[in-house]
Amino acid sequence: MTPSPDALGPAPVPAGDPAPAASGRPVPWVAPVLYAAVLAGGLYYDVVGAVPPPPAEVAVFVAGLAALSGLDVLERRRYRVRTPRGPAAALAGVRLALFVVVTAADPAGLSRVLFVLLPFTAYFAFGRRVAVALAAVCLGLLTVWFSIAVPGWYTNSAYVSDLLMFVLGLVLAVSMAAVAVGEQESRTRLEHALNEVEESHTRLSRYAERVAELTAAEERNRVAREIHDSLGHHLTAAAVQMEKAEAFLDRDRPTAERALADARSSAARALEEVRHSVRALRGETVPFRLPEALADLVRHLDGTRPRVTLETTGDESGYGAAALSALYRAAQEALTNALRHAEAGRVAVSVTCGDEEARLVVTDDGTGLPPGPWEERGVGLRGMRERVRLAGGAVAVTSEAGRGTTVTVTVPRRPGAV
């Protein structure tokens, strides 16, 4: 079954046909000017002519021009931009009949100029080819009319001049229609381009707002991770040392004093972390060395439970600051969890910087994690995963109740990283 044209969408515009316009009709003044000129010329000839025409003939002449004017007004009201092809063909037939009536009732002969309106109006509805064909038809009809009404007309210079002027009028009418259609198409393309620019500007504004929202959210998440991983770790260590000092205050004063000293040291380190973060926000970055940072982290835990050992191998020079920072923060989070929650006796920290990836392994002999997804076991583990993922790495956590926990973090070595 062949689908209907409507089902297939709008038909393509043939080559040479005008594209639908987005604004009003082009050159709407041409037809009224011609009607007025023909009316003025005909009435003037009736007044100054040697033989006045019958009143009925004058009435038909005026009525025909009035009908043409009314027809144009109705068409513009009904079709404000462009007349569809079906109604345009019907209107062309009506106009042709009225042109014949007006021309027959015009003794001055000026009404023949009205026929140039046929190809002129056809250009807007049907395109250049139909307009040129109608112009040729009008020229042929006038030639046939001269041949029937005035035998030997081609020997009369007045008729030959009229025919040449008619040809010139046809050429000018088709040319004017082509220029008008081209101008209207250019204006339509410009309007479309302006609309697209405006829509693009609106979309870009929305994208910019969305990017700002995402950037702000990412910055909030980053600050939250920094607060948890840096301040959280040192404050946790300080809290543990103060609890130890309180427990040994009456039984072992030297141990209590050493615990208080360690608590003060952790508080000082927390303050240093705050200062480091402020310098980073101001762009005052300093070189980061993972082995030194991990050794310093383990050294400040020395003498506390659990016992922490550290092993570092490989060359970190091929890894970016984001990757090294992710490994450091992961080790810090794993040690904090072992210190606060795992009740571990020993924790082993191992870092290997290979040619393709760096691997951090933190193993404790504590109570292990409760059953369930490890990603849901607190803000710290979730922040660890986010930080490592931003560095292109991965986190794996294995744990058994009563047999400890192992945290494995890998980050890739990227060419050109500094």
Side-chain angles (χ1 to χ4, degrees):
M1 180 176 179
T2 303
S4 65
D6 292 340
L8 297 175
V13 179
D17 285 4
S23 54
R25 289 176 174 271
V27 287
W29 50 268
V30 173
V33 168
L34 283 181
Y35 297 155
V38 169
L39 178 63
L43 294 179
Y44 177 77
Y45 186 86
D46 293 342
V47 172
V48 302
V51 180
E57 188 174 288
V58 175
V60 170
F61 173 72
V62 174
L65 290 174
L68 287 169
S69 300
L71 188 65
D72 286 354
V73 172
L74 291 176
E75 181 183 11
R76 285 195 296 270
R77 289 182 177 178
R78 178 64 179 84
Y79 308 106
R80 294 185 178 276
V81 176
R82 181 182 178 187
T83 305
R85 294 192 172 188
L91 290 171
V94 174
R95 285 194 178 93
L96 178 59
L98 290 173
F99 291 163
V100 171
V101 170
V102 171
T103 302
D106 180 19
L110 185 61
S111 300
R112 288 193 295 268
V113 74
L114 295 177
F115 286 90
V116 302
L117 291 176
L118 285 177
F120 179 77
T121 55
Y123 200 110
F124 303 116
F126 304 102
R128 181 179 60 251
R129 289 191 292 267
V130 174
V132 172
L134 276 179
V137 170
C138 291
L139 180 60
L141 289 176
L142 182 60
T143 303
V144 170
W145 172 261
F146 281 171
S147 300
I148 295 175
V150 186
W153 63 271
Y154 45 85
T155 61
N156 189 321
S157 60
Y159 285 99
V160 173
S161 178
D162 287 347
L163 185 63
L164 293 177
M165 292 300 295
F166 186 74
V167 171
L168 181 60
L170 290 173
V171 172
L172 290 176
V174 174
S175 300
M176 182 183 293
V179 171
V181 168
E183 188 274 336
Q184 193 172 47
E185 289 177 349
S186 298
R187 186 168 63 250
T188 300
R189 287 193 293 269
L190 179 59
E191 291 174 357
H192 289 167
L194 291 175
N195 290 336
E196 290 178 358
V197 168
E198 185 176 355
E199 292 175 0
S200 298
H201 181 267
T202 302
R203 288 196 296 269
L204 286 175
S205 298
R206 289 199 295 265
Y207 292 157
E209 293 174 359
R210 182 58 178 162
V211 168
E213 293 175 0
L214 293 176
T215 302
E218 180 61 26
E219 183 63 14
R220 287 195 297 268
N221 290 336
R222 188 190 69 81
V223 172
R225 287 194 301 268
E226 289 293 334
I227 292 174
H228 180 275
D229 295 345
S230 59
L231 288 179
H233 169 78
H234 296 301
L235 293 178
T236 297
V240 170
Q241 295 296 339
M242 285 187 288
E243 290 175 359
K244 180 179 178 181
E246 183 179 8
F248 284 90
L249 183 60
D250 296 330
R251 295 179 295 170
D252 189 346
R253 191 170 184 82
T255 301
E257 291 177 350
R258 187 168 61 253
L260 286 175
D262 291 338
R264 284 194 297 270
S265 175
S266 295
R269 286 176 57 80
L271 181 58
E272 180 59 30
E273 288 282 357
V274 171
R275 291 171 177 168
H276 175 76
S277 298
V278 171
R279 287 194 296 269
L281 290 174
R282 291 177 175 176
E284 302 172 2
T285 57
V286 294
F288 178 79
R289 296 290 179 262
L290 181 61
E292 289 84 347
L294 289 176
D296 186 58
L297 178 65
V298 171
R299 184 171 60 254
H300 281 82
L301 294 177
D302 189 26
T304 65
R305 183 180 176 84
R307 178 72 176 174
V308 182
T309 60
L310 172 65
E311 179 183 359
T312 60
T313 58
D315 183 10
E316 67 170 9
S317 60
Y319 292 88
L324 297 177
S325 176
L327 292 176
Y328 174 77
R329 294 303 186 189
Q332 195 176 50
E333 174 62 22
L335 288 173
T336 300
N337 289 339
L339 185 66
R340 286 296 302 272
H341 308 297
E343 300 179 5
R346 298 183 62 85
V347 180
V349 180
S350 172
V351 177
T352 303
C353 295
D355 295 335
E356 296 183 358
E357 67 176 17
R359 179 182 298 270
L360 165 72
V361 180
V362 181
T363 303
D364 68 63
D365 59 356
T367 58
L369 293 175
W374 64 267
E375 297 91 339
E376 300 177 1
R377 296 301 174 187
V379 177
L381 290 175
R382 185 164 59 248
M384 178 197 302
R385 181 184 60 179
E386 292 175 354
R387 186 188 295 275
V388 172
R389 185 175 57 197
L390 290 174
V395 179
V397 178
T398 57
S399 179
E400 293 184 22
R403 295 189 178 183
T405 302
T406 299
V407 178
T408 304
V409 179
T410 57
V411 292
R413 178 176 184 175
R414 297 179 178 176
V418 294

